[in-house]
Amino acid sequence: MDSKTSDPKAPKALTAGIVAFPRVAPNFRAPKAIRENDQLLSTVLNNMSQGVLLFDAEARLIFCSQRYFEIYGLSKEAAKPGCTLRDLLNHRIQAGTFSDDPEDYIGMLMGCIAEGRTTTSIANLSDGRVISIVSKPVADGGWLATHEDVTERQSAQARIVHMARHDALTDLPNRVLLRERLDHELKRVKRGECLAMLCLDLDHFKSVNDTLGHPIGDELLKRVADRLRGCTREPDTVARLGGDEFAIIMTQLHDPADINILAQRVRDSISKPYQIDGHQIVTDISIGISMAPDDGTDPDILIKNADLALYGAKADGRGTYRYFESEMDARMKARRDLEMDLRQALANKEFELYYQPLVNLKTNEISTLEALLRWNHPTQGMISPADFIPIAEETGLIIAIGEWVLNTACKETANWPEHIKVAVNVSPAQLKSRSVLKMVTTALADSGMPASKLQLEITETVLLQNTFATLETLHKLRKLGVQIALDDFGTGYSSLSYLRSFPFDKIKIDRSFIKDLSNGAEPLAIVHAVAGLAKCLNMISTAEGVETQQQLDTLQSVGCTEMQGYLFSRAIPAKDMEKFLRLKCERRTA
């Protein structure tokens, strides 16, 4: 196409692989092929999502697509071919879509075009829209500009960036953002400031999920997140690490006592009851604390040390807070080593059973033998169950170990005196696995022991988890002829409700009440009430941990049915139990 026209101000055609649209003399008529190409190109450009403009070297407009008018709310009269960029900006100023200094903008843009550089800029309009502008030099000194509304794209990208660093359920910072902020704050620590890292874990949250369902559990987590936000200051960071684990970075720390104040404020807030979908939920929280720079200036080390302190808080009974101590790392390493050894103990046949007698207080005869697990470690000797049973429960090893205990107890006691029952503890994990029924029937069948000779002892923790399924399993076991005992009675907040939901054969009064019998009227009143309750419900009442004659006399006076404790006998290895029973029998008949 010839770029010369009778109008000296008309823009020159540009050779940039795009058809220009110069103004031509009214009597000029382009060949049909050119007109069709122009029309096709105009159709394409006017239907693009970007606004497209073409300028010549003198900043005069050659072409403007329909989308540009739509983006900025301009009429077609505002952007006729031949008008200057300055004219176009004046129209945008009047429309309220340009607020920069026109001369500065034009000077910057023309300078880049003259140097052959593509420019990219962002225009933030007053109505909240975001426009991306790209100006690319073309032949003959002009440029092609595209204007694109990227509001939704930027909003989506911002959401993606936010989601990558925030927890979807609570909208708290996640582990990634927590570490970034901790890394940033630790730079201030190196300049002389202090901070505290708190790792937090809800107590018994799993039982909420198991009994009330995950939707209730999720709502509880959101409520907890809100309360944690309310406990902290503006510069602090509250994060959710996953599950029921949270964290707090406490910055601008001037007085270490402020950490105690925050930890107690968190506990007081979290422990208040929650009302969720008609359920009242009460929970507590355990907290581990590390400090920088005393406990480390590396993010990973600081988090690890706070986590070790959290484990210490849980080991101390939960519902409390503990500071990191250097000895904790050594204890955790020892625990990991013990866990590795525990995984091999069953295969290496390092376990054995001891039996402790339960004595009928009326006849003074042994009525039951409770099977107690012992671990004879190849290098450390006998390890206390208090040290390895919690590890077995946390790792899930308790299911296999519990099955071994049940099978062994049934085989070892099957031929002992018929009137003596054997009691075996069943863990929450075993009952939840739903294989306990099959496990019991198999153990009885393999040993030939009658079901009536077996007692299974469960704690209230078992009933806290999936109550309906648990009670159904217990009823099936009882239907086999197996007796069910409620262990550690009185230590939970809902013991009495469980007595209504299931007809236990026996309730065992926790040793803590027996130990305090001589310390006042209250423990005696509790034991008296439990013994009377058991009698009314036609249940056996067993006192655990009886060590003195005074305790025994008191228990007999209040009507307790059985006793178990060192006063009568410690736990005895299986190999020695037959001799022990024989001697007891001989003394009784002598």
Side-chain angles (χ1 to χ4, degrees):
M1 179 184 294
D2 187 355
S3 62
K4 296 180 179 180
T5 68
S6 58
D7 185 349
K9 294 183 179 181
K12 298 178 180 179
L14 301 177
T15 57
I18 181 171
V19 177
F21 296 88
R23 290 187 294 174
V24 295
N27 60 351
F28 174 80
R29 184 169 181 80
K32 180 179 180 181
I34 294 177
R35 293 199 309 273
E36 288 177 350
N37 285 339
D38 288 353
Q39 184 177 4
L40 176 61
L41 183 58
S42 179
T43 300
V44 171
L45 294 176
N46 283 322
N47 283 277
M48 291 176 64
S49 60
Q50 299 99 337
V52 180
L53 300 94
L54 188 62
F55 292 91
D56 65 12
E58 297 175 2
R60 289 182 298 175
L61 183 67
I62 297 175
F63 172 78
C64 179
S65 72
Q66 177 64 30
R67 180 61 182 144
Y68 182 83
F69 300 117
E70 295 170 354
I71 289 174
Y72 296 111
L74 300 176
S75 67
K76 290 186 178 181
E77 295 298 319
K80 287 184 176 180
C83 76
T84 65
L85 174 60
R86 183 70 176 79
D87 296 334
L88 197 56
L89 293 179
N90 283 336
H91 285 294
R92 283 188 53 195
I93 290 171
Q94 293 174 9
T97 59
F98 189 85
S99 57
D100 294 334
D101 183 274
E103 300 306 326
D104 288 347
Y105 178 78
I106 293 172
M108 178 276 297
L109 179 60
M110 295 299 290
C112 291
I113 298 301
E115 295 173 4
R117 290 190 290 121
T118 297
T119 67
T120 301
S121 61
I122 293 292
N124 295 291
L125 305 188
S126 59
D127 60 4
R129 287 181 297 145
V130 180
I131 311 300
S132 173
I133 304 168
V134 179
S135 299
K136 182 177 182 178
V138 294
D140 298 332
W143 74 92
L144 180 72
T146 59
H147 294 241
E148 183 178 8
D149 188 335
V150 294
T151 309
E152 287 300 322
R153 184 193 306 167
Q154 285 214 342
S155 178
Q157 289 175 342
R159 287 195 297 271
I160 291 171
V161 170
H162 182 85
M163 289 170 61
R165 286 173 168 76
H166 289 79
D167 172 56
L169 180 66
T170 64
D171 202 40
L172 289 175
N174 61 13
R175 191 181 294 270
V176 173
L177 184 53
L178 175 81
R179 197 186 183 288
E180 289 177 1
R181 291 188 180 176
L182 185 57
D183 190 50
H184 173 75
E185 293 297 336
L186 284 172
K187 292 176 183 176
R188 299 163 64 100
V189 168
K190 292 176 181 178
R191 295 197 296 266
E193 296 188 18
C194 298
L195 68 78
M197 179 73 216
L198 288 75
C199 285
L200 310 94
D201 191 279
L202 286 182
D203 296 334
H204 307 302
F205 173 73
K206 190 173 182 298
S207 66
V208 175
N209 271 344
D210 290 342
T211 57
L212 301 179
H214 289 276
I216 299 293
D218 287 349
E219 183 60 29
L220 175 60
L221 291 173
K222 288 193 282 187
R223 302 277 186 93
V224 168
D226 290 339
R227 292 189 185 185
L228 289 176
R229 288 186 184 100
C231 291
T232 52
R233 306 162 303 166
E234 183 65 31
D236 299 335
T237 295
V238 181
R240 182 185 176 212
L241 305 183
D244 61 339
E245 299 178 45
F246 295 85
I248 297 175
I249 303 173
M250 189 178 185
T251 60
Q252 300 179 16
L253 188 60
H254 304 294
D255 187 347
D258 291 340
I259 305 173
N260 294 347
I261 295 172
L262 173 62
Q264 192 57 52
R265 185 164 61 241
V266 166
R267 281 207 57 233
D268 291 343
S269 176
I270 298 303
S271 62
K272 292 177 181 176
Y274 301 81
Q275 298 292 336
I276 302 177
D277 289 351
H279 301 280
Q280 178 171 294
I281 301 173
V282 179
T283 189
D284 209 330
I285 198 161
S286 299
I287 306 171
I289 305 167
S290 62
M291 296 175 61
D294 294 351
D295 299 326
T297 55
D298 177 83
D300 294 329
I301 291 177
L302 207 60
I303 293 172
K304 172 195 168 188
N305 290 342
D307 203 45
L308 286 171
L310 172 61
Y311 181 80
K314 290 181 178 179
D316 287 346
R318 303 175 181 268
T320 187
Y321 60 90
R322 290 288 177 269
Y323 284 85
F324 170 74
E325 300 170 0
S326 56
E327 299 81 11
M328 289 177 172
D329 200 10
R331 288 200 298 268
M332 181 56 71
K333 183 179 183 305
R335 183 192 180 280
R336 286 195 296 267
D337 292 342
L338 195 64
E339 179 185 330
M340 296 302 296
D341 291 344
L342 185 61
R343 293 183 181 277
Q344 304 299 322
L346 194 58
N348 295 340
K349 299 181 179 180
E350 296 169 10
F351 291 124
E352 61 178 305
L353 293 183
Y354 279 44
Y355 295 89
Q356 186 173 33
L358 281 68
V359 181
N360 186 302
L361 292 181
K362 286 185 178 180
T363 64
N364 202 35
E365 293 182 350
I366 297 174
S367 58
T368 309
L369 295 169
E370 181 178 0
L372 300 172
L373 181 63
R374 296 292 183 264
W375 180 15
N376 193 355
H377 192 279
T379 60
Q380 299 182 40
M382 283 294 184
I383 296 178
S384 169
D387 293 332
F388 72 84
I389 291 296
I391 298 176
E393 289 177 340
E394 290 174 18
T395 58
L397 294 170
I398 194 67
I399 295 176
I401 294 173
E403 184 174 4
W404 179 88
V405 170
L406 181 63
N407 289 332
T408 305
C410 289
K411 289 176 182 177
E412 288 181 341
T413 63
N415 297 320
W416 291 357
E418 292 184 7
H419 69 281
I420 297 179
K421 301 181 185 297
V422 61
V424 177
N425 290 280
V426 177
S427 73
Q430 283 178 278
L431 208 55
K432 188 184 176 185
S433 70
R434 299 186 182 180
S435 62
V436 68
L437 187 64
K438 181 180 179 182
M439 205 167 13
V440 169
T441 54
T442 301
L444 292 173
D446 291 347
S447 65
M449 190 177 82
S452 59
K453 194 173 178 178
L454 177 63
Q455 285 183 0
L456 298 179
E457 295 188 1
I458 67 170
T459 62
E460 293 181 38
T461 309
V462 171
L463 294 169
L464 277 172
Q465 301 183 7
N466 200 359
T467 306
F468 178 79
T470 298
L471 290 175
E472 186 180 26
T473 301
L474 291 178
H475 278 292
K476 289 179 179 178
L477 288 168
R478 206 155 182 266
K479 194 173 181 180
L480 288 175
V482 175
Q483 291 189 337
I484 308 295
L486 181 58
D487 200 8
D488 301 333
F489 183 81
T491 57
Y493 68 89
S494 52
S495 299
L496 292 176
S497 66
Y498 295 138
L499 295 184
R500 293 182 59 191
S501 62
F502 184 79
F504 290 95
D505 297 284
K506 177 187 293 188
I507 50 178
K508 300 184 73 174
I509 306 171
D510 188 70
R511 64 183 63 247
S512 61
F513 297 108
I514 309 305
K515 181 180 179 182
D516 292 337
L517 274 178
S518 60
N519 295 336
E522 184 178 314
L524 175 59
I526 293 173
V527 173
H528 195 171
V530 173
L533 180 64
K535 184 177 180 180
C536 291
L537 296 175
N538 198 28
M539 297 177 183
I540 297 170
S541 56
T542 303
E544 298 180 292
V546 181
E547 298 181 359
T548 68
Q549 185 63 42
Q550 182 183 1
Q551 291 171 345
L552 176 59
D553 294 341
T554 302
L555 292 169
Q556 287 179 318
S557 69
V558 299
C560 221
T561 315
E562 284 183 340
M563 64 83 71
Q564 176 182 7
Y566 291 170
L567 180 63
F568 183 84
S569 174
R570 293 177 176 269
I572 299 171
K575 64 180 184 296
D576 300 328
M577 181 51 72
E578 289 191 59
K579 180 180 178 181
F580 176 84
L581 293 174
R582 188 168 59 252
L583 288 174
K584 287 291 182 182
C585 181
E586 290 173 356
R587 288 176 184 173
R588 191 174 64 251
T589 57

